[in-house]
Short mmCIF file of all heavy atoms in Angstrom, two decimals:
data_model
loop_
_atom_site.label_atom_id
_atom_site.label_comp_id
_atom_site.label_asym_id
_atom_site.label_seq_id
_atom_site.Cartn_x
_atom_site.Cartn_y
_atom_site.Cartn_z
N MET A 934 -1.24 12.69 4.57
CA MET A 934 -1.42 11.30 4.94
C MET A 934 -0.93 10.37 3.82
O MET A 934 -0.39 9.29 4.09
CB MET A 934 -2.88 11.02 5.23
CG MET A 934 -3.18 9.58 5.61
SD MET A 934 -2.41 8.98 7.14
CE MET A 934 -3.43 9.70 8.36
N LYS A 935 -1.09 10.79 2.56
CA LYS A 935 -0.65 9.94 1.43
C LYS A 935 0.86 9.70 1.51
O LYS A 935 1.31 8.57 1.32
CB LYS A 935 -1.00 10.60 0.11
CG LYS A 935 -0.69 9.69 -1.07
CD LYS A 935 -0.84 10.36 -2.42
CE LYS A 935 -2.05 11.21 -2.59
NZ LYS A 935 -2.18 11.78 -3.92
N GLU A 936 1.63 10.73 1.80
CA GLU A 936 3.08 10.58 1.87
C GLU A 936 3.49 9.64 3.01
O GLU A 936 4.40 8.84 2.83
CB GLU A 936 3.78 11.93 2.01
CG GLU A 936 3.59 12.82 0.80
CD GLU A 936 4.03 12.16 -0.50
OE1 GLU A 936 5.09 11.51 -0.52
OE2 GLU A 936 3.31 12.28 -1.51
N LYS A 937 2.81 9.72 4.14
CA LYS A 937 3.09 8.82 5.24
C LYS A 937 2.78 7.38 4.86
O LYS A 937 3.53 6.46 5.18
CB LYS A 937 2.26 9.20 6.48
CG LYS A 937 2.75 10.46 7.19
CD LYS A 937 1.91 10.70 8.41
CE LYS A 937 2.38 11.95 9.13
NZ LYS A 937 1.61 12.19 10.37
N ALA A 938 1.65 7.19 4.19
CA ALA A 938 1.25 5.84 3.76
C ALA A 938 2.25 5.27 2.76
O ALA A 938 2.64 4.11 2.84
CB ALA A 938 -0.16 5.89 3.15
N LEU A 939 2.67 6.09 1.79
CA LEU A 939 3.64 5.62 0.79
C LEU A 939 4.99 5.28 1.46
O LEU A 939 5.62 4.29 1.12
CB LEU A 939 3.83 6.66 -0.32
CG LEU A 939 2.68 6.82 -1.29
CD1 LEU A 939 2.86 8.02 -2.19
CD2 LEU A 939 2.48 5.54 -2.10
N ALA A 940 5.39 6.10 2.41
CA ALA A 940 6.65 5.81 3.13
C ALA A 940 6.52 4.53 3.91
O ALA A 940 7.47 3.72 3.94
CB ALA A 940 6.99 6.99 4.06
N LEU A 941 5.38 4.30 4.54
CA LEU A 941 5.16 3.05 5.29
C LEU A 941 5.16 1.84 4.35
O LEU A 941 5.75 0.79 4.67
CB LEU A 941 3.83 3.14 6.06
CG LEU A 941 3.43 1.90 6.85
CD1 LEU A 941 4.53 1.51 7.85
CD2 LEU A 941 2.12 2.13 7.54
N ILE A 942 4.57 1.98 3.17
CA ILE A 942 4.57 0.88 2.20
C ILE A 942 6.03 0.56 1.81
O ILE A 942 6.43 -0.61 1.76
CB ILE A 942 3.73 1.25 0.97
CG1 ILE A 942 2.25 1.27 1.35
CG2 ILE A 942 3.97 0.28 -0.18
CD1 ILE A 942 1.32 1.86 0.30
N CYS A 943 6.84 1.58 1.55
CA CYS A 943 8.23 1.36 1.20
C CYS A 943 8.98 0.66 2.34
O CYS A 943 9.73 -0.30 2.07
CB CYS A 943 8.91 2.68 0.86
SG CYS A 943 8.43 3.39 -0.72
N ARG A 944 8.78 1.11 3.56
CA ARG A 944 9.46 0.47 4.70
C ARG A 944 9.04 -0.99 4.82
O ARG A 944 9.87 -1.86 5.07
CB ARG A 944 9.12 1.21 6.00
CG ARG A 944 9.92 2.44 6.24
CD ARG A 944 9.90 2.88 7.70
NE ARG A 944 8.56 2.94 8.30
CZ ARG A 944 7.72 3.96 8.21
NH1 ARG A 944 8.04 5.03 7.50
NH2 ARG A 944 6.56 3.91 8.81
N THR A 945 7.76 -1.26 4.66
CA THR A 945 7.26 -2.63 4.80
C THR A 945 7.85 -3.51 3.72
O THR A 945 8.16 -4.67 3.93
CB THR A 945 5.72 -2.64 4.74
OG1 THR A 945 5.23 -1.77 5.77
CG2 THR A 945 5.17 -4.03 4.97
N LEU A 946 7.98 -2.98 2.51
CA LEU A 946 8.54 -3.73 1.38
C LEU A 946 10.07 -3.85 1.47
O LEU A 946 10.68 -4.65 0.78
CB LEU A 946 8.17 -3.07 0.06
CG LEU A 946 6.72 -3.16 -0.37
CD1 LEU A 946 6.45 -2.25 -1.57
CD2 LEU A 946 6.35 -4.60 -0.68
N GLY A 947 10.68 -3.00 2.30
CA GLY A 947 12.14 -3.02 2.44
C GLY A 947 12.84 -2.34 1.28
O GLY A 947 13.96 -2.73 0.91
N VAL A 948 12.21 -1.32 0.71
CA VAL A 948 12.80 -0.58 -0.41
C VAL A 948 13.00 0.88 0.03
O VAL A 948 12.34 1.34 0.96
CB VAL A 948 11.92 -0.65 -1.67
CG1 VAL A 948 11.78 -2.10 -2.13
CG2 VAL A 948 10.56 -0.02 -1.46
N PRO A 949 13.89 1.59 -0.63
CA PRO A 949 14.11 2.99 -0.27
C PRO A 949 12.85 3.83 -0.43
O PRO A 949 12.04 3.58 -1.34
CB PRO A 949 15.17 3.46 -1.26
CG PRO A 949 15.87 2.22 -1.72
CD PRO A 949 14.81 1.15 -1.68
N GLU A 950 12.67 4.77 0.49
CA GLU A 950 11.53 5.67 0.41
C GLU A 950 11.51 6.37 -0.93
O GLU A 950 12.55 6.77 -1.44
CB GLU A 950 11.56 6.70 1.55
CG GLU A 950 10.28 7.44 1.72
CD GLU A 950 10.25 8.24 3.02
OE1 GLU A 950 10.75 7.77 4.05
OE2 GLU A 950 9.69 9.36 2.99
N GLY A 951 10.35 6.48 -1.54
CA GLY A 951 10.22 7.11 -2.84
C GLY A 951 10.22 6.09 -3.97
O GLY A 951 9.90 6.43 -5.11
N THR A 952 10.55 4.82 -3.68
CA THR A 952 10.58 3.78 -4.70
C THR A 952 9.17 3.46 -5.19
O THR A 952 8.96 3.27 -6.37
CB THR A 952 11.26 2.48 -4.15
OG1 THR A 952 12.56 2.82 -3.72
CG2 THR A 952 11.30 1.40 -5.19
N VAL A 953 8.23 3.37 -4.25
CA VAL A 953 6.84 3.07 -4.60
C VAL A 953 6.09 4.38 -4.79
O VAL A 953 6.09 5.25 -3.94
CB VAL A 953 6.17 2.23 -3.49
CG1 VAL A 953 4.71 1.99 -3.79
CG2 VAL A 953 6.92 0.91 -3.31
N ARG A 954 5.46 4.49 -5.98
CA ARG A 954 4.67 5.68 -6.30
C ARG A 954 3.22 5.31 -6.43
O ARG A 954 2.86 4.17 -6.73
CB ARG A 954 5.18 6.30 -7.60
CG ARG A 954 6.61 6.74 -7.60
CD ARG A 954 7.01 7.34 -8.95
NE ARG A 954 6.46 6.65 -10.10
CZ ARG A 954 7.03 5.59 -10.66
NH1 ARG A 954 8.17 5.12 -10.21
NH2 ARG A 954 6.49 5.01 -11.73
N GLU A 955 2.38 6.30 -6.29
CA GLU A 955 0.94 6.11 -6.34
C GLU A 955 0.50 5.56 -7.71
O GLU A 955 -0.48 4.81 -7.80
CB GLU A 955 0.23 7.42 -6.06
CG GLU A 955 -1.26 7.32 -6.02
CD GLU A 955 -1.92 8.65 -5.74
OE1 GLU A 955 -1.23 9.68 -5.64
OE2 GLU A 955 -3.15 8.66 -5.65
N ASP A 956 1.20 5.87 -8.77
CA ASP A 956 0.78 5.49 -10.11
C ASP A 956 1.28 4.07 -10.52
O ASP A 956 1.09 3.66 -11.65
CB ASP A 956 1.27 6.51 -11.15
CG ASP A 956 2.79 6.59 -11.22
OD1 ASP A 956 3.48 6.19 -10.27
OD2 ASP A 956 3.29 7.09 -12.25
N MET A 957 1.86 3.33 -9.59
CA MET A 957 2.40 2.02 -9.90
C MET A 957 1.36 0.91 -9.69
O MET A 957 0.57 0.96 -8.75
CB MET A 957 3.63 1.71 -9.05
CG MET A 957 4.79 2.67 -9.31
SD MET A 957 6.20 2.36 -8.23
CE MET A 957 7.00 1.04 -9.15
N THR A 958 1.47 -0.13 -10.53
CA THR A 958 0.69 -1.34 -10.28
C THR A 958 1.51 -2.27 -9.41
O THR A 958 2.76 -2.15 -9.34
CB THR A 958 0.32 -2.06 -11.60
OG1 THR A 958 1.51 -2.55 -12.19
CG2 THR A 958 -0.41 -1.14 -12.56
N PHE A 959 0.85 -3.22 -8.77
CA PHE A 959 1.57 -4.16 -7.95
C PHE A 959 2.57 -4.98 -8.76
O PHE A 959 3.63 -5.34 -8.29
CB PHE A 959 0.64 -5.11 -7.21
CG PHE A 959 -0.35 -4.40 -6.28
CD1 PHE A 959 -1.54 -4.99 -5.94
CD2 PHE A 959 -0.08 -3.12 -5.77
CE1 PHE A 959 -2.43 -4.37 -5.09
CE2 PHE A 959 -0.97 -2.49 -4.91
CZ PHE A 959 -2.16 -3.12 -4.59
N ALA A 960 2.22 -5.27 -10.02
CA ALA A 960 3.08 -6.06 -10.91
C ALA A 960 4.40 -5.36 -11.18
O ALA A 960 5.39 -6.00 -11.50
CB ALA A 960 2.35 -6.34 -12.21
N GLU A 961 4.44 -4.03 -11.04
CA GLU A 961 5.67 -3.26 -11.28
C GLU A 961 6.61 -3.26 -10.07
O GLU A 961 7.71 -2.74 -10.18
CB GLU A 961 5.32 -1.82 -11.61
CG GLU A 961 4.55 -1.63 -12.91
CD GLU A 961 4.16 -0.20 -13.13
OE1 GLU A 961 3.19 0.27 -12.44
OE2 GLU A 961 4.80 0.47 -13.96
N ILE A 962 6.16 -3.83 -8.98
CA ILE A 962 6.93 -3.83 -7.74
C ILE A 962 7.36 -5.27 -7.42
O ILE A 962 6.54 -6.06 -6.96
CB ILE A 962 6.10 -3.21 -6.58
CG1 ILE A 962 5.59 -1.84 -6.96
CG2 ILE A 962 6.92 -3.18 -5.30
CD1 ILE A 962 4.52 -1.27 -6.05
N PRO A 963 8.62 -5.60 -7.70
CA PRO A 963 9.05 -7.01 -7.55
C PRO A 963 8.83 -7.62 -6.15
O PRO A 963 8.55 -8.80 -6.04
CB PRO A 963 10.55 -6.95 -7.86
CG PRO A 963 10.75 -5.71 -8.66
CD PRO A 963 9.71 -4.74 -8.18
N GLN A 964 8.91 -6.80 -5.13
CA GLN A 964 8.76 -7.30 -3.75
C GLN A 964 7.30 -7.56 -3.38
O GLN A 964 7.01 -8.14 -2.35
CB GLN A 964 9.35 -6.30 -2.74
CG GLN A 964 10.80 -6.06 -2.91
CD GLN A 964 11.17 -5.03 -3.98
OE1 GLN A 964 10.32 -4.58 -4.72
NE2 GLN A 964 12.43 -4.70 -4.07
N TRP A 965 6.36 -7.13 -4.20
CA TRP A 965 4.94 -7.18 -3.85
C TRP A 965 4.37 -8.57 -4.22
O TRP A 965 4.46 -9.00 -5.35
CB TRP A 965 4.16 -6.13 -4.63
CG TRP A 965 2.86 -5.77 -4.00
CD1 TRP A 965 1.76 -6.57 -3.88
CD2 TRP A 965 2.51 -4.53 -3.42
NE1 TRP A 965 0.72 -5.92 -3.26
CE2 TRP A 965 1.17 -4.66 -2.96
CE3 TRP A 965 3.17 -3.32 -3.23
CZ2 TRP A 965 0.50 -3.61 -2.33
CZ3 TRP A 965 2.49 -2.31 -2.62
CH2 TRP A 965 1.18 -2.44 -2.17
N ASP A 966 3.82 -9.21 -3.23
CA ASP A 966 3.06 -10.46 -3.44
C ASP A 966 1.88 -10.45 -2.49
O ASP A 966 1.67 -9.48 -1.75
CB ASP A 966 3.94 -11.69 -3.28
CG ASP A 966 4.56 -11.83 -1.89
OD1 ASP A 966 4.06 -11.23 -0.95
OD2 ASP A 966 5.58 -12.54 -1.78
N SER A 967 1.08 -11.50 -2.50
CA SER A 967 -0.14 -11.50 -1.71
C SER A 967 0.14 -11.41 -0.20
O SER A 967 -0.56 -10.72 0.53
CB SER A 967 -0.99 -12.73 -2.01
OG SER A 967 -0.28 -13.91 -1.80
N LEU A 968 1.19 -12.07 0.26
CA LEU A 968 1.56 -12.01 1.68
C LEU A 968 2.00 -10.60 2.03
O LEU A 968 1.58 -10.04 3.08
CB LEU A 968 2.64 -13.03 2.02
CG LEU A 968 3.12 -13.02 3.46
CD1 LEU A 968 1.96 -13.27 4.44
CD2 LEU A 968 4.22 -14.04 3.66
N MET A 969 2.79 -10.00 1.18
CA MET A 969 3.26 -8.63 1.43
C MET A 969 2.07 -7.65 1.44
O MET A 969 2.04 -6.71 2.22
CB MET A 969 4.29 -8.22 0.39
CG MET A 969 5.02 -6.95 0.72
SD MET A 969 5.86 -6.94 2.32
CE MET A 969 7.16 -8.10 2.03
N GLN A 970 1.08 -7.90 0.60
CA GLN A 970 -0.09 -7.05 0.56
C GLN A 970 -0.81 -7.09 1.90
O GLN A 970 -1.25 -6.05 2.42
CB GLN A 970 -1.03 -7.49 -0.57
CG GLN A 970 -2.17 -6.54 -0.78
CD GLN A 970 -2.80 -6.70 -2.16
OE1 GLN A 970 -2.12 -7.07 -3.12
NE2 GLN A 970 -4.07 -6.43 -2.27
N LEU A 971 -0.94 -8.28 2.52
CA LEU A 971 -1.55 -8.39 3.83
C LEU A 971 -0.71 -7.70 4.89
O LEU A 971 -1.23 -7.04 5.78
CB LEU A 971 -1.74 -9.86 4.20
CG LEU A 971 -2.81 -10.61 3.41
CD1 LEU A 971 -2.75 -12.11 3.76
CD2 LEU A 971 -4.17 -10.05 3.67
N MET A 972 0.63 -7.82 4.80
CA MET A 972 1.51 -7.17 5.75
C MET A 972 1.40 -5.64 5.63
O MET A 972 1.41 -4.94 6.65
CB MET A 972 2.96 -7.61 5.51
CG MET A 972 3.17 -9.07 5.89
SD MET A 972 4.82 -9.67 5.51
CE MET A 972 5.80 -8.69 6.63
N ILE A 973 1.27 -5.14 4.41
CA ILE A 973 1.11 -3.69 4.20
C ILE A 973 -0.20 -3.22 4.79
O ILE A 973 -0.27 -2.21 5.48
CB ILE A 973 1.22 -3.36 2.70
CG1 ILE A 973 2.68 -3.52 2.25
CG2 ILE A 973 0.71 -1.96 2.39
CD1 ILE A 973 2.88 -3.51 0.75
N ALA A 974 -1.29 -3.96 4.55
CA ALA A 974 -2.60 -3.60 5.11
C ALA A 974 -2.54 -3.57 6.63
O ALA A 974 -3.08 -2.66 7.26
CB ALA A 974 -3.66 -4.55 4.60
N SER A 975 -1.88 -4.55 7.21
CA SER A 975 -1.74 -4.61 8.66
C SER A 975 -0.92 -3.43 9.18
O SER A 975 -1.29 -2.80 10.20
CB SER A 975 -1.06 -5.95 9.07
OG SER A 975 -0.87 -6.01 10.45
N ALA A 976 0.17 -3.10 8.51
CA ALA A 976 1.00 -1.97 8.93
C ALA A 976 0.23 -0.64 8.82
O ALA A 976 0.34 0.21 9.69
CB ALA A 976 2.27 -1.91 8.09
N LEU A 977 -0.56 -0.51 7.74
CA LEU A 977 -1.34 0.73 7.58
C LEU A 977 -2.33 0.86 8.74
O LEU A 977 -2.54 1.97 9.26
CB LEU A 977 -2.09 0.72 6.25
CG LEU A 977 -1.22 0.93 5.02
CD1 LEU A 977 -2.03 0.64 3.74
CD2 LEU A 977 -0.65 2.34 4.96
N GLN A 978 -2.92 -0.26 9.15
CA GLN A 978 -3.88 -0.20 10.26
C GLN A 978 -3.18 0.07 11.60
O GLN A 978 -3.59 0.94 12.36
CB GLN A 978 -4.67 -1.50 10.34
CG GLN A 978 -5.73 -1.47 11.44
CD GLN A 978 -6.63 -2.68 11.41
OE1 GLN A 978 -6.35 -3.66 10.76
NE2 GLN A 978 -7.72 -2.57 12.15
N GLU A 979 -2.09 -0.65 11.84
CA GLU A 979 -1.41 -0.52 13.14
C GLU A 979 -0.75 0.85 13.32
O GLU A 979 -0.80 1.44 14.40
CB GLU A 979 -0.38 -1.61 13.27
CG GLU A 979 -0.96 -2.97 13.51
CD GLU A 979 0.09 -4.07 13.55
OE1 GLU A 979 1.28 -3.77 13.75
OE2 GLU A 979 -0.30 -5.24 13.41
N GLU A 980 -0.09 1.34 12.27
CA GLU A 980 0.71 2.55 12.42
C GLU A 980 -0.04 3.84 12.07
O GLU A 980 0.26 4.89 12.61
CB GLU A 980 1.98 2.45 11.57
CG GLU A 980 2.89 1.35 12.10
CD GLU A 980 4.25 1.36 11.43
OE1 GLU A 980 4.75 2.44 11.07
OE2 GLU A 980 4.82 0.26 11.27
N LEU A 981 -1.01 3.73 11.15
CA LEU A 981 -1.72 4.96 10.73
C LEU A 981 -3.21 4.92 11.01
O LEU A 981 -3.92 5.88 10.71
CB LEU A 981 -1.46 5.20 9.23
CG LEU A 981 -0.01 5.37 8.80
CD1 LEU A 981 0.08 5.56 7.29
CD2 LEU A 981 0.63 6.54 9.52
N GLY A 982 -3.69 3.80 11.54
CA GLY A 982 -5.13 3.69 11.84
C GLY A 982 -6.01 3.58 10.62
O GLY A 982 -7.21 3.87 10.68
N LEU A 983 -5.43 3.14 9.49
CA LEU A 983 -6.20 3.02 8.24
C LEU A 983 -6.62 1.57 8.04
O LEU A 983 -5.79 0.67 8.06
CB LEU A 983 -5.31 3.46 7.05
CG LEU A 983 -4.80 4.88 7.09
CD1 LEU A 983 -3.79 5.12 6.00
CD2 LEU A 983 -5.95 5.88 7.00
N THR A 984 -7.92 1.36 7.88
CA THR A 984 -8.45 0.03 7.71
C THR A 984 -8.91 -0.17 6.28
O THR A 984 -9.60 0.66 5.70
CB THR A 984 -9.64 -0.20 8.66
OG1 THR A 984 -9.18 0.00 10.01
CG2 THR A 984 -10.18 -1.60 8.54
N ILE A 985 -8.51 -1.31 5.69
CA ILE A 985 -8.94 -1.67 4.36
C ILE A 985 -9.85 -2.91 4.46
O ILE A 985 -9.39 -3.94 4.94
CB ILE A 985 -7.75 -2.00 3.43
CG1 ILE A 985 -6.77 -0.81 3.40
CG2 ILE A 985 -8.22 -2.37 2.03
CD1 ILE A 985 -5.47 -1.11 2.67
N PRO A 986 -11.10 -2.78 4.04
CA PRO A 986 -11.97 -3.96 4.08
C PRO A 986 -11.37 -5.10 3.25
O PRO A 986 -10.84 -4.85 2.18
CB PRO A 986 -13.29 -3.47 3.47
CG PRO A 986 -13.24 -1.96 3.64
CD PRO A 986 -11.80 -1.59 3.55
N MET A 987 -11.46 -6.32 3.74
CA MET A 987 -10.85 -7.46 3.06
C MET A 987 -11.30 -7.60 1.61
O MET A 987 -10.51 -7.89 0.74
CB MET A 987 -11.14 -8.74 3.85
CG MET A 987 -10.40 -9.96 3.27
SD MET A 987 -8.60 -9.81 3.22
CE MET A 987 -8.17 -9.91 4.93
N GLU A 988 -12.59 -7.39 1.36
CA GLU A 988 -13.08 -7.56 -0.03
C GLU A 988 -12.41 -6.54 -0.96
O GLU A 988 -12.09 -6.85 -2.10
CB GLU A 988 -14.60 -7.47 -0.13
CG GLU A 988 -15.22 -6.17 0.34
CD GLU A 988 -15.49 -6.10 1.83
OE1 GLU A 988 -15.16 -7.05 2.58
OE2 GLU A 988 -16.02 -5.06 2.29
N LYS A 989 -12.17 -5.33 -0.47
CA LYS A 989 -11.48 -4.33 -1.28
C LYS A 989 -9.99 -4.66 -1.42
O LYS A 989 -9.42 -4.46 -2.51
CB LYS A 989 -11.65 -2.93 -0.69
CG LYS A 989 -13.03 -2.38 -0.88
CD LYS A 989 -13.14 -0.93 -0.45
CE LYS A 989 -14.56 -0.43 -0.67
NZ LYS A 989 -14.67 0.98 -0.32
N LEU A 990 -9.40 -5.16 -0.34
CA LEU A 990 -8.00 -5.55 -0.40
C LEU A 990 -7.74 -6.59 -1.45
O LEU A 990 -6.71 -6.59 -2.15
CB LEU A 990 -7.55 -6.04 0.99
CG LEU A 990 -6.08 -6.38 1.13
CD1 LEU A 990 -5.19 -5.15 0.89
CD2 LEU A 990 -5.80 -6.98 2.49
N LEU A 991 -8.68 -7.49 -1.61
CA LEU A 991 -8.53 -8.57 -2.60
C LEU A 991 -8.78 -8.11 -4.03
O LEU A 991 -8.34 -8.76 -4.98
CB LEU A 991 -9.48 -9.74 -2.26
CG LEU A 991 -9.22 -10.41 -0.92
CD1 LEU A 991 -10.30 -11.44 -0.66
CD2 LEU A 991 -7.86 -11.08 -0.91
N GLU A 992 -9.43 -6.95 -4.19
CA GLU A 992 -9.77 -6.45 -5.52
C GLU A 992 -8.73 -5.52 -6.11
O GLU A 992 -8.60 -5.43 -7.33
CB GLU A 992 -11.11 -5.71 -5.48
CG GLU A 992 -12.30 -6.59 -5.17
CD GLU A 992 -13.58 -5.80 -4.98
OE1 GLU A 992 -13.54 -4.53 -5.02
OE2 GLU A 992 -14.63 -6.43 -4.76
N VAL A 993 -8.02 -4.77 -5.25
CA VAL A 993 -7.12 -3.74 -5.76
C VAL A 993 -5.91 -4.34 -6.46
O VAL A 993 -5.41 -5.41 -6.08
CB VAL A 993 -6.68 -2.76 -4.66
CG1 VAL A 993 -7.84 -1.98 -4.12
CG2 VAL A 993 -5.94 -3.47 -3.56
N THR A 994 -5.42 -3.64 -7.49
CA THR A 994 -4.26 -4.11 -8.27
C THR A 994 -3.19 -3.07 -8.41
O THR A 994 -2.20 -3.29 -9.11
CB THR A 994 -4.73 -4.54 -9.67
OG1 THR A 994 -5.32 -3.42 -10.32
CG2 THR A 994 -5.69 -5.71 -9.61
N ASP A 995 -3.39 -1.91 -7.77
CA ASP A 995 -2.38 -0.83 -7.87
C ASP A 995 -2.32 -0.05 -6.58
O ASP A 995 -3.19 -0.15 -5.71
CB ASP A 995 -2.63 0.06 -9.07
CG ASP A 995 -4.00 0.70 -9.07
OD1 ASP A 995 -4.61 0.89 -8.00
OD2 ASP A 995 -4.50 1.00 -10.16
N VAL A 996 -1.28 0.74 -6.44
CA VAL A 996 -1.06 1.52 -5.23
C VAL A 996 -2.16 2.55 -5.04
O VAL A 996 -2.67 2.70 -3.93
CB VAL A 996 0.34 2.18 -5.24
CG1 VAL A 996 0.56 3.04 -4.01
CG2 VAL A 996 1.43 1.11 -5.34
N ARG A 997 -2.57 3.21 -6.10
CA ARG A 997 -3.65 4.22 -6.00
C ARG A 997 -4.92 3.56 -5.46
O ARG A 997 -5.58 4.11 -4.58
CB ARG A 997 -3.90 4.87 -7.38
CG ARG A 997 -4.98 5.92 -7.32
CD ARG A 997 -5.10 6.66 -8.65
NE ARG A 997 -4.01 7.63 -8.78
CZ ARG A 997 -3.09 7.62 -9.74
NH1 ARG A 997 -3.14 6.73 -10.70
NH2 ARG A 997 -2.13 8.52 -9.75
N GLY A 998 -5.25 2.39 -5.96
CA GLY A 998 -6.44 1.69 -5.48
C GLY A 998 -6.34 1.27 -4.04
O GLY A 998 -7.30 1.34 -3.28
N LEU A 999 -5.15 0.86 -3.61
CA LEU A 999 -4.92 0.50 -2.22
C LEU A 999 -5.11 1.70 -1.31
O LEU A 999 -5.79 1.60 -0.26
CB LEU A 999 -3.50 -0.09 -2.05
CG LEU A 999 -3.16 -0.55 -0.65
CD1 LEU A 999 -3.81 -1.89 -0.37
CD2 LEU A 999 -1.66 -0.65 -0.46
N LEU A 1000 -4.54 2.83 -1.72
CA LEU A 1000 -4.69 4.05 -0.91
C LEU A 1000 -6.14 4.45 -0.84
O LEU A 1000 -6.63 4.87 0.23
CB LEU A 1000 -3.81 5.15 -1.47
CG LEU A 1000 -2.31 4.94 -1.40
CD1 LEU A 1000 -1.57 6.08 -2.11
CD2 LEU A 1000 -1.82 4.80 0.02
N ALA A 1001 -6.86 4.39 -1.96
CA ALA A 1001 -8.27 4.76 -1.98
C ALA A 1001 -9.08 3.82 -1.08
O ALA A 1001 -9.97 4.28 -0.34
CB ALA A 1001 -8.80 4.73 -3.41
N ALA A 1002 -8.78 2.53 -1.12
CA ALA A 1002 -9.51 1.57 -0.28
C ALA A 1002 -9.27 1.83 1.20
O ALA A 1002 -10.14 1.58 2.02
CB ALA A 1002 -9.05 0.16 -0.62
N ALA A 1003 -8.09 2.42 1.52
CA ALA A 1003 -7.78 2.77 2.91
C ALA A 1003 -8.35 4.12 3.30
O ALA A 1003 -8.20 4.55 4.43
CB ALA A 1003 -6.26 2.76 3.11
N GLY A 1004 -8.95 4.83 2.34
CA GLY A 1004 -9.52 6.13 2.61
C GLY A 1004 -8.55 7.27 2.55
O GLY A 1004 -8.80 8.36 3.07
N VAL A 1005 -7.40 7.05 1.91
CA VAL A 1005 -6.37 8.09 1.77
C VAL A 1005 -6.62 8.86 0.51
O VAL A 1005 -6.66 8.27 -0.58
CB VAL A 1005 -4.97 7.46 1.75
CG1 VAL A 1005 -3.92 8.53 1.52
CG2 VAL A 1005 -4.69 6.73 3.04
N SER A 1006 -6.79 10.16 0.63
CA SER A 1006 -6.94 10.98 -0.57
C SER A 1006 -5.73 11.88 -0.80
O SER A 1006 -5.13 11.86 -1.85
CB SER A 1006 -8.22 11.82 -0.50
OG SER A 1006 -8.23 12.60 0.66
N GLU A 1007 -5.36 12.65 0.15
CA GLU A 1007 -4.18 13.54 0.01
C GLU A 1007 -3.31 13.49 1.18
O GLU A 1007 -3.29 13.16 2.15
CB GLU A 1007 -4.61 14.98 -0.26
CG GLU A 1007 -5.17 15.19 -1.63
CD GLU A 1007 -4.25 14.84 -2.77
OE1 GLU A 1007 -3.05 15.12 -2.72
OE2 GLU A 1007 -4.72 14.23 -3.75
#
């Protein structure tokens, strides 16, 4: 599930698959901003059925935290 989520994040950001890694912070990803974060959360819910509570979405600052907030472990 993690690989599917990372691939979806890359597609949503419009970057080649594999560009976004779990160990990256949002600041390291030039395309990432608050609107894109909402779009990614929406895509994760629509395409993979993963829901991120809004309070957690506002707190996370890295890809690993985003995946954890969505309940993705492996």
Side-chain angles (χ1 to χ4, degrees):
M934 179 64 77
K935 185 188 318 182
E936 294 306 318
K937 286 183 181 182
L939 288 171
L941 178 57
I942 291 169
C943 287
R944 279 197 314 275
T945 304
L946 290 170
V948 299
E950 194 168 320
T952 302
V953 176
R954 300 180 320 274
E955 183 180 3
D956 63 340
M957 296 177 83
T958 66
F959 299 156
E961 295 175 285
I962 305 167
Q964 297 82 353
W965 201 293
D966 60 21
S967 57
L968 178 58
M969 191 58 68
Q970 188 160 329
L971 290 173
M972 292 175 65
I973 289 167
S975 178
L977 288 170
Q978 183 173 13
E979 289 177 16
E980 295 189 33
L981 300 178
L983 301 171
T984 302
I985 303 172
M987 186 58 72
E988 61 275 2
K989 288 187 179 183
L990 184 62
L991 297 174
E992 294 173 358
V993 296
T994 59
D995 57 27
V996 177
R997 181 174 282 120
L999 182 77
L1000 294 174
V1005 176
S1006 56
E1007 289 300 321

